[in-house]
Protein backbone atom coordinates (compact mmCIF):
# COMPACT_ATOMS: atom_id res chain seq x y z
CA UNK A 1 0.00 0.00 0.00
CA UNK A 2 1.55 3.28 -1.15
CA UNK A 3 -1.19 5.74 -0.18
CA UNK A 4 -3.43 5.80 2.88
CA UNK A 5 -6.32 8.26 3.11
CA UNK A 6 -7.62 8.77 6.66
CA UNK A 7 -10.93 10.54 7.36
CA UNK A 8 -10.30 12.53 4.20
CA UNK A 9 -12.32 15.61 3.21
CA UNK A 10 -15.10 15.08 0.69
CA UNK A 11 -13.12 16.90 -2.01
CA UNK A 12 -10.22 14.46 -1.72
CA UNK A 13 -12.52 11.44 -1.92
CA UNK A 14 -14.34 12.98 -4.90
CA UNK A 15 -11.00 13.32 -6.66
CA UNK A 16 -10.04 9.72 -5.85
CA UNK A 17 -13.36 8.33 -7.06
CA UNK A 18 -13.27 10.32 -10.29
CA UNK A 19 -9.71 9.20 -10.99
CA UNK A 20 -9.91 5.52 -10.14
CA UNK A 21 -13.53 4.33 -9.96
CA UNK A 22 -15.31 3.76 -13.25
CA UNK A 23 -18.79 5.22 -13.51
CA UNK A 24 -18.16 7.99 -10.96
CA UNK A 25 -19.18 11.55 -11.84
CA UNK A 26 -20.23 14.84 -10.32
CA UNK A 27 -23.85 15.59 -11.19
CA UNK A 28 -25.44 19.02 -11.56
CA UNK A 29 -26.37 19.29 -7.86
CA UNK A 30 -22.73 18.76 -6.84
CA UNK A 31 -23.30 15.25 -5.45
CA UNK A 32 -21.00 12.36 -6.34
CA UNK A 33 -22.74 9.72 -8.46
CA UNK A 34 -21.24 6.23 -8.17
CA UNK A 35 -21.87 2.66 -9.27
CA UNK A 36 -21.86 -0.27 -6.86
CA UNK A 37 -21.22 -2.90 -9.53
CA UNK A 38 -23.20 -6.09 -9.94
CA UNK A 39 -24.86 -5.89 -6.52
CA UNK A 40 -27.28 -2.96 -6.23
CA UNK A 41 -28.84 -4.06 -2.95
CA UNK A 42 -27.98 -6.02 0.15
CA UNK A 43 -27.36 -9.79 0.11
CA UNK A 44 -29.08 -11.06 3.29
CA UNK A 45 -28.74 -14.73 2.27
CA UNK A 46 -24.95 -14.34 2.28
CA UNK A 47 -24.72 -12.88 5.79
CA UNK A 48 -23.17 -15.00 8.53
CA UNK A 49 -22.46 -14.63 12.26
CA UNK A 50 -19.61 -16.53 13.84
CA UNK A 51 -20.77 -19.06 16.42
CA UNK A 52 -18.82 -18.14 19.56
CA UNK A 53 -19.26 -19.30 23.14
CA UNK A 54 -19.50 -15.76 24.56
CA UNK A 55 -22.43 -14.77 22.32
CA UNK A 56 -24.00 -18.15 21.50
CA UNK A 57 -26.92 -17.74 23.92
CA UNK A 58 -27.56 -14.10 22.95
CA UNK A 59 -28.18 -14.68 19.23
CA UNK A 60 -31.47 -15.95 17.79
CA UNK A 61 -30.03 -18.52 15.39
CA UNK A 62 -31.98 -19.49 12.30
CA UNK A 63 -32.58 -18.38 8.71
CA UNK A 64 -31.65 -14.75 9.49
CA UNK A 65 -28.73 -15.27 11.87
CA UNK A 66 -26.86 -18.13 10.16
CA UNK A 67 -23.97 -19.75 12.00
CA UNK A 68 -20.42 -19.63 10.64
CA UNK A 69 -17.44 -21.52 12.02
CA UNK A 70 -14.54 -19.43 13.28
CA UNK A 71 -12.15 -21.12 10.85
CA UNK A 72 -14.24 -20.01 7.87
CA UNK A 73 -14.37 -16.45 9.21
CA UNK A 74 -10.59 -16.40 9.57
CA UNK A 75 -10.24 -17.74 6.02
CA UNK A 76 -12.41 -14.90 4.71
CA UNK A 77 -10.59 -12.39 6.89
CA UNK A 78 -7.20 -13.47 5.58
CA UNK A 79 -8.49 -13.32 2.00
CA UNK A 80 -9.83 -9.79 2.56
CA UNK A 81 -6.68 -8.53 4.29
CA UNK A 82 -4.46 -10.05 1.60
CA UNK A 83 -6.51 -8.32 -1.10
CA UNK A 84 -6.44 -4.96 0.71
CA UNK A 85 -2.68 -5.26 1.16
CA UNK A 86 -2.23 -5.59 -2.59
CA UNK A 87 -3.97 -2.28 -3.29
CA UNK A 88 -1.92 0.79 -4.11
CA UNK A 89 -4.24 3.00 -2.06
CA UNK A 90 -6.59 2.39 0.85
CA UNK A 91 -9.16 4.51 2.66
CA UNK A 92 -9.71 4.45 6.42
CA UNK A 93 -12.68 6.01 8.20
CA UNK A 94 -13.07 6.29 11.96
CA UNK A 95 -16.44 7.22 13.43
CA UNK A 96 -19.04 6.17 15.97
CA UNK A 97 -22.18 4.10 15.92
CA UNK A 98 -24.48 6.17 18.14
CA UNK A 99 -24.64 9.81 19.28
CA UNK A 100 -24.81 9.13 23.02
CA UNK A 101 -21.28 8.94 24.53
CA UNK A 102 -22.47 6.44 27.15
CA UNK A 103 -23.62 3.92 24.53
CA UNK A 104 -21.75 4.65 21.30
CA UNK A 105 -19.46 2.13 19.62
CA UNK A 106 -16.22 3.21 17.87
CA UNK A 107 -16.11 1.89 14.29
CA UNK A 108 -13.19 1.72 11.84
CA UNK A 109 -13.73 1.07 8.13
CA UNK A 110 -10.88 -0.07 5.87
CA UNK A 111 -11.80 -0.13 2.18
CA UNK A 112 -10.32 0.00 -1.30
CA UNK A 113 -12.95 2.40 -2.70
CA UNK A 114 -13.19 6.15 -2.10
CA UNK A 115 -16.96 5.89 -2.61
CA UNK A 116 -17.22 3.57 0.40
CA UNK A 117 -15.14 5.93 2.52
CA UNK A 118 -17.29 8.97 1.71
CA UNK A 119 -20.44 6.92 2.26
CA UNK A 120 -19.36 5.86 5.74
CA UNK A 121 -18.11 9.33 6.64
CA UNK A 122 -21.68 10.43 5.97
CA UNK A 123 -23.30 7.53 7.81
CA UNK A 124 -21.14 7.26 10.95
CA UNK A 125 -21.22 9.86 13.71
CA UNK A 126 -18.17 12.07 13.05
CA UNK A 127 -15.60 12.25 15.86
CA UNK A 128 -14.08 15.50 17.08
CA UNK A 129 -10.31 15.95 17.04
CA UNK A 130 -10.19 15.08 20.73
CA UNK A 131 -12.31 11.95 20.22
CA UNK A 132 -9.92 10.52 17.62
CA UNK A 133 -7.78 9.34 20.52
CA UNK A 134 -10.44 6.68 21.13
CA UNK A 135 -9.20 4.97 17.97
CA UNK A 136 -5.53 4.84 18.96
CA UNK A 137 -3.85 1.51 19.66
CA UNK A 138 -3.54 2.63 23.27
CA UNK A 139 -7.29 3.25 23.65
CA UNK A 140 -9.07 1.25 26.34
CA UNK A 141 -11.72 0.05 23.92
CA UNK A 142 -10.95 -1.62 20.60
CA UNK A 143 -13.03 -0.27 17.69
CA UNK A 144 -15.29 -2.52 15.66
CA UNK A 145 -13.43 -2.98 12.35
CA UNK A 146 -15.02 -3.43 8.92
CA UNK A 147 -12.68 -4.96 6.35
CA UNK A 148 -14.40 -4.06 3.08
CA UNK A 149 -12.75 -6.05 0.28
CA UNK A 150 -16.04 -6.23 -1.61
CA UNK A 151 -14.34 -5.77 -4.98
CA UNK A 152 -12.84 -9.25 -4.48
CA UNK A 153 -14.98 -12.42 -4.21
CA UNK A 154 -14.89 -14.97 -1.43
CA UNK A 155 -13.82 -18.54 -2.11
CA UNK A 156 -17.01 -20.50 -2.76
CA UNK A 157 -15.30 -23.66 -1.46
CA UNK A 158 -14.91 -22.16 2.02
CA UNK A 159 -17.29 -24.03 4.38
CA UNK A 160 -20.44 -21.99 4.97
CA UNK A 161 -20.27 -20.04 1.70
CA UNK A 162 -23.17 -20.32 -0.75
CA UNK A 163 -21.99 -17.82 -3.37
CA UNK A 164 -19.04 -15.56 -4.21
CA UNK A 165 -20.49 -12.99 -1.79
CA UNK A 166 -19.91 -13.08 1.96
CA UNK A 167 -20.74 -10.67 4.77
CA UNK A 168 -19.55 -12.16 8.05
CA UNK A 169 -19.46 -10.78 11.59
CA UNK A 170 -17.50 -11.89 14.64
CA UNK A 171 -18.68 -10.34 17.89
CA UNK A 172 -15.71 -11.78 19.80
CA UNK A 173 -13.16 -10.27 17.42
CA UNK A 174 -15.32 -7.17 16.87
CA UNK A 175 -14.81 -7.45 13.13
CA UNK A 176 -16.82 -7.63 9.93
CA UNK A 177 -15.49 -8.94 6.61
CA UNK A 178 -17.10 -8.09 3.27
CA UNK A 179 -16.24 -9.99 0.09
CA UNK A 180 -17.97 -10.12 -3.28
CA UNK A 181 -20.26 -7.09 -3.00
CA UNK A 182 -19.54 -3.40 -3.44
CA UNK A 183 -22.96 -2.26 -2.25
CA UNK A 184 -22.25 0.28 0.50
CA UNK A 185 -25.42 -0.50 2.44
CA UNK A 186 -23.77 -3.68 3.74
CA UNK A 187 -21.46 -1.56 5.92
CA UNK A 188 -24.36 0.49 7.28
CA UNK A 189 -26.31 -2.64 8.18
CA UNK A 190 -23.16 -4.20 9.62
CA UNK A 191 -22.94 -1.41 12.19
CA UNK A 192 -26.66 -1.84 12.93
CA UNK A 193 -26.09 -5.59 13.45
CA UNK A 194 -23.44 -4.85 16.06
CA UNK A 195 -25.68 -2.29 17.78
CA UNK A 196 -28.55 -4.79 17.79
CA UNK A 197 -26.30 -7.24 19.62
CA UNK A 198 -24.66 -4.81 22.06
CA UNK A 199 -27.41 -2.38 23.04
CA UNK A 200 -29.79 -4.87 24.73
CA UNK A 201 -26.86 -5.77 27.03
CA UNK A 202 -26.20 -2.15 28.03
CA UNK A 203 -25.62 -0.42 30.32
CA UNK A 204 -25.31 -3.75 32.19
CA UNK A 205 -26.38 -7.27 31.29
CA UNK A 206 -27.58 -7.87 34.87
CA UNK A 207 -30.25 -5.16 34.71
CA UNK A 208 -33.89 -6.06 33.97
CA UNK A 209 -34.88 -5.64 30.27
CA UNK A 210 -36.83 -2.42 30.90
CA UNK A 211 -33.66 -0.74 32.17
CA UNK A 212 -31.50 -1.80 29.23
CA UNK A 213 -31.29 -0.23 25.77
CA UNK A 214 -33.57 -1.14 22.86
CA UNK A 215 -32.29 -0.81 19.26
CA UNK A 216 -34.98 0.22 16.77
CA UNK A 217 -35.31 -0.02 13.00
CA UNK A 218 -37.25 3.21 12.95
CA UNK A 219 -37.05 6.92 12.18
CA UNK A 220 -37.65 9.62 14.77
CA UNK A 221 -38.40 13.33 15.08
CA UNK A 222 -39.35 15.75 17.84
CA UNK A 223 -41.81 18.65 18.05
CA UNK A 224 -41.67 22.02 19.79
CA UNK A 225 -43.23 20.52 22.92
CA UNK A 226 -40.53 17.81 23.04
CA UNK A 227 -43.00 15.21 21.83
CA UNK A 228 -40.95 12.45 20.20
CA UNK A 229 -42.48 10.42 17.38
CA UNK A 230 -41.12 7.01 16.35
CA UNK A 231 -41.89 5.55 12.92
CA UNK A 232 -41.33 1.80 12.64
CA UNK A 233 -41.26 0.23 9.19
CA UNK A 234 -39.41 -1.95 6.72
CA UNK A 235 -37.47 -0.50 3.81
CA UNK A 236 -39.63 1.60 1.51
CA UNK A 237 -42.56 2.13 3.90
CA UNK A 238 -41.92 5.84 4.46
CA UNK A 239 -39.65 6.19 7.50
CA UNK A 240 -37.32 8.73 5.86
CA UNK A 241 -40.12 10.70 4.19
CA UNK A 242 -42.33 11.00 7.28
CA UNK A 243 -39.50 11.88 9.65
CA UNK A 244 -38.35 14.75 7.38
CA UNK A 245 -41.09 17.09 8.60
CA UNK A 246 -40.26 20.83 8.25
CA UNK A 247 -42.31 21.57 11.37
CA UNK A 248 -40.36 19.13 13.56
CA UNK A 249 -36.68 18.51 14.27
CA UNK A 250 -35.25 15.39 12.68
CA UNK A 251 -33.50 13.00 15.05
CA UNK A 252 -32.83 10.36 12.40
CA UNK A 253 -34.32 8.47 9.49
CA UNK A 254 -33.62 4.77 10.08
CA UNK A 255 -31.80 3.45 13.17
CA UNK A 256 -32.22 4.49 16.81
CA UNK A 257 -31.77 3.33 20.37
CA UNK A 258 -34.43 3.85 23.04
CA UNK A 259 -32.97 3.68 26.54
CA UNK A 260 -34.01 4.61 30.07
CA UNK A 261 -33.30 8.33 29.58
CA UNK A 262 -34.50 8.93 26.02
CA UNK A 263 -33.66 8.27 22.39
CA UNK A 264 -30.56 8.68 20.24
CA UNK A 265 -29.75 8.15 16.58
CA UNK A 266 -27.24 5.42 15.72
CA UNK A 267 -26.20 7.12 12.48
CA UNK A 268 -24.52 10.37 11.49
CA UNK A 269 -26.45 10.62 8.24
CA UNK A 270 -29.43 9.50 6.17
CA UNK A 271 -29.71 6.88 3.44
CA UNK A 272 -32.77 7.77 1.39
CA UNK A 273 -34.43 6.09 -1.56
CA UNK A 274 -34.35 8.20 -4.73
CA UNK A 275 -36.94 6.55 -6.94
CA UNK A 276 -39.44 9.18 -8.08
CA UNK A 277 -37.82 11.87 -5.94
CA UNK A 278 -38.93 15.47 -6.57
CA UNK A 279 -38.46 18.74 -4.70
CA UNK A 280 -42.26 19.17 -4.60
CA UNK A 281 -42.81 15.85 -2.78
CA UNK A 282 -39.74 15.75 -0.53
CA UNK A 283 -37.97 19.13 -0.48
CA UNK A 284 -35.69 18.43 2.50
CA UNK A 285 -34.31 15.23 0.98
CA UNK A 286 -34.05 16.68 -2.53
CA UNK A 287 -32.10 19.71 -1.32
CA UNK A 288 -29.74 17.48 0.69
CA UNK A 289 -28.39 16.10 -2.59
CA UNK A 290 -25.41 18.40 -2.95
CA UNK A 291 -21.64 18.46 -2.62
CA UNK A 292 -20.68 15.77 -0.13
CA UNK A 293 -23.66 13.52 -0.82
CA UNK A 294 -23.29 10.13 -2.50
CA UNK A 295 -25.80 9.09 -5.18
CA UNK A 296 -25.84 5.34 -5.75
CA UNK A 297 -26.72 3.75 -9.10
CA UNK A 298 -28.76 6.66 -10.47
CA UNK A 299 -29.04 7.43 -14.18
CA UNK A 300 -27.86 10.87 -15.24
CA UNK A 301 -27.24 12.83 -18.44
CA UNK A 302 -23.49 12.82 -19.00
CA UNK A 303 -23.62 16.08 -20.95
CA UNK A 304 -25.65 18.11 -18.42
CA UNK A 305 -25.23 16.16 -15.17
CA UNK A 306 -28.99 16.11 -14.71
CA UNK A 307 -30.27 13.10 -12.73
CA UNK A 308 -33.37 11.21 -13.86
CA UNK A 309 -34.87 9.91 -10.63
CA UNK A 310 -37.60 8.13 -12.58
CA UNK A 311 -35.11 5.95 -14.48
CA UNK A 312 -34.76 2.56 -12.78
CA UNK A 313 -32.86 0.83 -15.58
CA UNK A 314 -29.92 0.10 -13.25
CA UNK A 315 -32.02 -0.67 -10.16
CA UNK A 316 -35.18 0.43 -8.40
CA UNK A 317 -33.05 0.74 -5.29
CA UNK A 318 -31.42 4.06 -6.20
CA UNK A 319 -30.14 5.78 -3.05
CA UNK A 320 -28.52 8.91 -1.65
CA UNK A 321 -26.37 9.12 1.48
CA UNK A 322 -25.89 12.51 3.13
CA UNK A 323 -24.89 13.76 6.59
CA UNK A 324 -27.56 14.86 9.06
CA UNK A 325 -26.28 18.44 8.92
CA UNK A 326 -27.61 18.68 5.34
CA UNK A 327 -31.14 18.70 6.79
CA UNK A 328 -31.83 22.28 8.04
CA UNK A 329 -33.96 21.21 11.00
CA UNK A 330 -31.86 18.22 12.11
CA UNK A 331 -31.24 17.92 15.86
CA UNK A 332 -27.46 17.77 16.34
CA UNK A 333 -26.24 16.07 18.43
CA UNK A 334 -28.96 13.60 17.44
CA UNK A 335 -30.09 12.58 20.91
CA UNK A 336 -32.94 13.71 23.15
CA UNK A 337 -33.70 13.20 26.84
CA UNK A 338 -37.39 12.57 26.18
CA UNK A 339 -39.35 9.38 25.68
CA UNK A 340 -41.54 8.79 22.58
CA UNK A 341 -45.15 9.92 22.84
CA UNK A 342 -46.29 8.73 19.41
CA UNK A 343 -45.41 5.31 18.00
CA UNK A 344 -46.38 4.78 14.36
CA UNK A 345 -46.19 1.36 12.69
CA UNK A 346 -45.84 1.68 8.90
CA UNK A 347 -46.88 -1.12 6.56
CA UNK A 348 -46.88 -1.70 2.83
CA UNK A 349 -50.18 -3.55 2.49
CA UNK A 350 -50.41 -4.59 -1.17
CA UNK A 351 -53.65 -6.51 -0.60
CA UNK A 352 -55.69 -3.84 1.18
CA UNK A 353 -56.36 -5.98 4.25
CA UNK A 354 -55.49 -3.25 6.74
CA UNK A 355 -57.44 0.03 6.98
CA UNK A 356 -55.44 3.13 5.90
CA UNK A 357 -55.12 4.32 9.51
CA UNK A 358 -55.72 2.40 12.73
CA UNK A 359 -55.33 3.49 16.34
CA UNK A 360 -54.13 0.43 18.23
CA UNK A 361 -54.49 -0.53 21.86
CA UNK A 362 -51.43 -1.51 23.86
CA UNK A 363 -52.36 -5.18 23.51
CA UNK A 364 -52.78 -4.84 19.73
CA UNK A 365 -49.39 -3.18 19.39
CA UNK A 366 -47.71 -5.95 21.39
CA UNK A 367 -49.39 -8.58 19.21
Amino acid sequence: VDELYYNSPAGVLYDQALRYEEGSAIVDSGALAVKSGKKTGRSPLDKRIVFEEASADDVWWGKVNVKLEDKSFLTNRERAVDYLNTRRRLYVVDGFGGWDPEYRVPVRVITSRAYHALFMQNMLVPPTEAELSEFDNSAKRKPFVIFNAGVFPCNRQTPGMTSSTSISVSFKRQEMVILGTQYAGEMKKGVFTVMNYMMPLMPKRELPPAERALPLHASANIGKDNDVSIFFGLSGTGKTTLSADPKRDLIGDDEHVWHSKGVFNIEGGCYAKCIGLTREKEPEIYDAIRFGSVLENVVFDESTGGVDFEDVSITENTRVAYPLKFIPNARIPAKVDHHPKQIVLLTCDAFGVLPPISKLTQEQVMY
Side-chain angles (χ1 to χ4, degrees):
V1 179
D2 295 329
E3 303 170 13
L4 194 64
Y5 296 86
Y6 176 72
N7 279 13
S8 299
V12 172
L13 296 176
Y14 266 56
D15 177 66
Q16 290 289 300
L18 295 171
R19 286 174 184 265
Y20 304 114
E21 299 176 14
E22 186 178 355
S24 300
I26 302 175
V27 297
D28 59 358
S29 65
L32 178 68
V34 298
K35 299 291 190 292
S36 68
K38 183 179 178 181
K39 296 293 181 79
T40 58
R42 291 194 301 113
S43 303
L45 297 179
D46 296 307
K47 192 169 184 177
R48 302 287 183 270
I49 296 177
V50 180
F51 185 79
E52 297 158 329
E53 185 177 347
S55 58
D57 294 335
D58 297 323
V59 178
W60 190 349
W61 302 104
K63 292 182 179 180
V64 175
N65 298 313
V66 182
K67 296 179 183 178
L68 183 69
E69 294 300 319
D70 185 60
K71 185 177 180 180
S72 293
F73 177 83
L74 293 177
T75 298
N76 284 348
R77 184 186 188 279
E78 183 172 355
R79 189 173 176 90
V81 171
D82 285 349
Y83 171 78
L84 292 171
N85 280 332
T86 66
R87 299 302 89 195
R88 182 177 177 184
R89 58 193 66 83
L90 289 178
Y91 308 90
V92 179
V93 176
D94 283 345
F96 294 105
W99 281 87
D100 192 313
E102 294 183 26
Y103 292 88
R104 70 187 181 191
V105 175
V107 178
R108 169 165 290 173
V109 179
I110 304 172
T111 180
S112 62
R113 290 199 62 178
Y115 138 52
H116 290 156
L118 182 57
F119 176 92
M120 287 306 281
Q121 284 187 188
N122 285 347
M123 297 310 298
L124 291 173
V125 178
T128 63
E129 282 292 327
E131 290 170 339
L132 288 176
S133 62
E134 296 188 35
F135 298 89
D136 292 342
N137 291 333
S138 59
K140 293 182 180 179
R141 188 179 188 183
K142 175 187 172 184
F144 177 75
V145 180
I146 299 175
F147 295 100
N148 190 337
V151 179
F152 197 63
C154 72
N155 187 334
R156 299 167 69 103
Q157 304 308 313
T158 301
M161 302 298 102
T162 51
S163 75
S164 59
T165 298
S166 172
I167 305 98
S168 51
V169 177
S170 167
F171 293 129
K172 180 180 179 180
R173 298 181 64 91
Q174 296 186 65
E175 292 177 346
M176 177 180 186
V177 175
I178 299 175
L179 291 162
T181 174
Q182 299 176 56
Y183 182 65
E186 296 291 6
M187 295 181 288
K188 163 189 157 64
K189 282 298 182 183
V191 175
F192 192 39
T193 297
V194 172
M195 296 296 281
N196 270 287
Y197 170 71
M198 295 184 66
M199 291 302 102
L201 305 177
M202 293 183 69
K204 292 181 180 179
R205 179 191 286 266
E206 297 78 20
L207 292 172
E211 295 180 29
R212 288 184 262 142
L214 177 66
L216 311 171
H217 185 200
S219 62
N221 60 26
I222 185 169
K224 294 180 180 179
D225 297 326
N226 291 322
D227 57 311
V228 176
S229 293
I230 295 284
F231 301 89
F232 287 93
L234 298 176
S235 178
T237 53
K239 295 190 300 298
T240 299
T241 301
L242 291 171
S243 60
D245 186 335
K247 297 180 181 179
R248 299 170 64 84
D249 284 357
L250 174 70
I251 303 172
D253 81 322
D254 194 49
E255 301 171 5
H256 291 80
V257 173
W258 186 354
H259 57 99
S260 60
K261 297 179 182 178
V263 175
F264 67 85
N265 189 353
I266 290 174
E267 300 180 299
C270 301
Y271 193 34
K273 283 181 173 289
C274 290
I275 184 170
L277 182 65
T278 64
R279 178 178 273 119
E280 290 70 33
K281 292 180 182 177
E282 300 172 89
E284 290 82 15
I285 297 171
Y286 190 93
D287 290 337
I289 303 176
R290 51 191 173 96
F291 180 80
S293 298
V294 179
L295 279 168
E296 265 184 337
N297 300 314
V298 298
V299 177
F300 58 90
D301 188 317
E302 293 185 5
S303 60
T304 65
V307 178
D308 184 354
F309 291 113
E310 299 292 340
D311 192 326
V312 294
S313 57
I314 298 176
T315 177
E316 291 189 3
N317 189 36
T318 52
R319 295 270 189 166
V320 60
Y322 51 86
L324 274 176
K325 64 183 180 182
F326 282 11
I327 299 294
N329 56 323
R331 179 71 63 95
I332 298 177
K335 63 187 186 74
V336 295
D337 295 329
H338 303 280
H339 291 289
K341 289 188 176 180
Q342 294 85 223
I343 297 177
V344 181
L345 308 178
L346 304 172
T347 62
C348 185
D349 180 21
F351 300 100
V353 175
L354 299 173
I357 300 176
S358 301
K359 187 173 182 179
L360 306 180
T361 64
Q362 184 173 324
E363 290 73 21
Q364 288 173 319
V365 171
M366 291 173 67
Y367 175 79

